Amino acid sequence: MHYADINARTIDRWVEEGWEWGIPISHEEYLAAKAGRLSLLLTPTKPVPRDWFPDLAGCRVLGLASGGAQQMPVFAAHGAVCTVLDYSPRQLQSEREVAAREGYDIEIVRADMSQPLPFADGSFDMIFHPVSNCYIEEVLPLWRECFRVLRPGGRLLAGLDNGINYLFEDEESGQVRYRLPFNPLKDPEQRAALERAGDGIQFSHTLEEQIRGQIQAGFRIVDLYEDTNGRGFLHEHGVPTFWATLAVR
């Protein structure tokens, strides 16, 4: 089985178990967005700065690996024309359910983001990509696809894992166990650890892959911030484990 299929099944299971990133927004939260509230996460705890977003009325938004009905309903409430791409059927089911509940249209696409994106050049004004490329082995091809499907001047908002979490089998212990890069397709010990934990297939990525990769794809990075896990040993010691970037095509 390809690792993307393993990850889709894993995330489906997590959603059924109540995974925090798979709980759709409530009707009350949707109404708050309709009233003008715009508070979204690319990383675990820090809201995206409001000035990172363009005018959302009529904005063509791609939610990239952004299923689960946490972000797309907010964009739809602000008047955006929304497309969501995800590989988890359960996350996409949530998108359908919330769109039906709130009465807005959304294009829902099941696709593997490690493959070419199924959209024409210049299809979108903004891509919203929460932390998720830790589930694909190579990120540069994805950045190139993002560049291709954005219009000139379009924005890429991305949440990125900086790899530090993958040093630990049990992050709470604070004991380093693994070397980086973390790639379970090449390291049987790492693969076994993920299987024991039921965590699918995950990969660490470097600053060069995540930040320089966007630049190599043609983007101009105009802002960024760091974030922590939000809890646990590393968070308590102030160790940043995520980045978020705003890049312009």
Side-chain angles (χ1 to χ4, degrees), residues 12 14 27 47 62 93 102 112 135 169 171 189 196 247:
D12 284 351
W14 289 348
H27 176 61
L62 170 62
Q93 180 182 333
E102 306 299 349
D112 173 6
Y135 300 108
E169 184 169 25
E171 187 264 326
E189 182 185 8
R196 285 194 300 272

Side-chain angles (χ1 to χ4, degrees), residues 43-231:
T43 57
T45 73
K46 288 186 180 180
V48 178
R50 183 143 188 159
D51 63 4
W52 280 25
F53 298 103
D55 181 2
L56 290 172
C59 182
R60 299 170 299 164
V61 175
L62 170 62
L64 179 59
S66 186
Q70 294 188 344
Q71 299 98 25
M72 294 300 102
V74 173
F75 291 132
H78 282 263
V81 179
C82 295
T83 299
V84 62
L85 180 148
D86 207 288
Y87 203 45
S88 159
R90 186 62 186 82
Q91 289 283 73
L92 295 178
Q93 180 182 333
S94 294
E95 295 288 348
R96 292 187 186 92
E97 291 171 352
V98 173
R101 184 188 75 198
E102 306 299 349
Y104 61 81
D105 293 327
I106 183 170
E107 181 181 10
I108 295 174
V109 178
R110 183 171 189 251
D112 173 6
M113 67 176 170
S114 70
Q115 304 300 313
L117 300 179
F119 308 111
D121 296 358
S123 294
F124 301 100
D125 303 305
M126 183 179 78
I127 295 174
F128 194 84
H129 178 49
V131 174
S132 54
N133 67 24
C134 51
Y135 300 108
I136 62 174
E137 187 175 15
E138 296 184 21
V139 296
L140 181 56
L142 178 64
W143 297 143
R144 288 173 172 158
E145 281 295 285
C146 288
F147 189 87
R148 180 184 66 79
V149 304
L150 275 172
R151 66 163 176 82
R155 303 185 187 192
L156 168 65
L157 284 64
L160 312 169
D161 188 309
N162 69 16
I164 292 175
N165 282 308
Y166 293 101
L167 292 169
F168 307 91
E169 184 169 25
D170 176 13
E171 187 264 326
E172 291 293 336
S173 73
Q175 298 296 312
V176 172
R177 171 70 182 272
Y178 302 110
R179 295 176 62 88
L180 298 181
F182 190 93
N183 186 333
L185 301 184
K186 297 179 179 178
D187 188 317
E189 182 185 8
Q190 294 173 354
R191 177 72 175 260
L194 289 173
E195 290 176 348
R196 285 194 300 272
D199 284 344
I201 304 295
Q202 301 186 36
F203 306 89
S204 70
H205 296 297
T206 63
L207 182 147
E208 290 184 357
E209 292 175 279
Q210 299 278 43
I211 308 295
R212 186 172 181 238
Q214 292 183 43
I215 296 169
Q216 288 176 316
F219 285 103
R220 177 171 56 93
I221 294 176
V222 297
D223 204 357
L224 59 82
Y225 59 87
E226 294 180 312
D227 200 0
T228 71
N229 291 334
R231 57 180 177 269

